[in-house]
Amino acid sequence: MERIGEDVERELSRLGPKARMGEIVSAWPQVVGEAIAHNAWPARLRRDGTLQVHTSSAAWAFELAQLAPRIASSLRLALGERAPKALRFAPGPLPETAPGEAGRSAPCPSSPSPQAVERARLLVVNMGESELACAIARAAALSLAKTESSHAL
């Protein structure tokens, strides 16, 4: 299986301040630990530099708000000047597979079907032939293949 993380990070780095989100997401599990990463995940970076973090419940949002200074300090140690200026926690959607659980999720097919590849190609046809378009097409094809294989079960 081919990972597209490096391709996505390279393309995001061209976006300036928005690129910080990729670095924050990459550092998050190591900074906060597995239990918090399972229940809280960076959602977006506001224009003022505040990181909006979605949590699995209001209770988690409250508890993490109490730990915000400690988490912010750890993020500053990990990211330096690229760390968020402040943190805000609120209940919201989390990734389907929390960090550390990737090995427990349904296996991803080793290669997508020709139908999945064609459907993915059609999704990015208007993006041209950029590296980002190719990376998105690969990710979409694998996602479509995973969906097809889960429906076959």
Side-chain angles (χ1 to χ4, degrees), residues 26-88:
S26 293
W28 186 256
Q30 292 79 27
V31 168
V32 300
E34 188 176 333
I36 292 175
H38 181 73
N39 289 285
W41 198 253
R44 69 182 183 98
L45 194 58
R46 295 178 177 185
R47 288 182 187 168
D48 68 356
T50 298
L51 178 64
Q52 177 72 40
V53 179
H54 285 173
T55 62
S56 60
S57 68
W60 270 100
F62 176 79
E63 289 298 324
L64 292 176
Q66 306 308 305
L67 295 173
R70 184 184 284 165
I71 295 170
S73 176
S74 296
L75 282 168
R76 277 190 299 279
L77 283 173
L79 301 171
E81 65 183 40
R82 300 185 66 79
K85 305 288 184 245
L87 300 171
R88 182 178 170 117

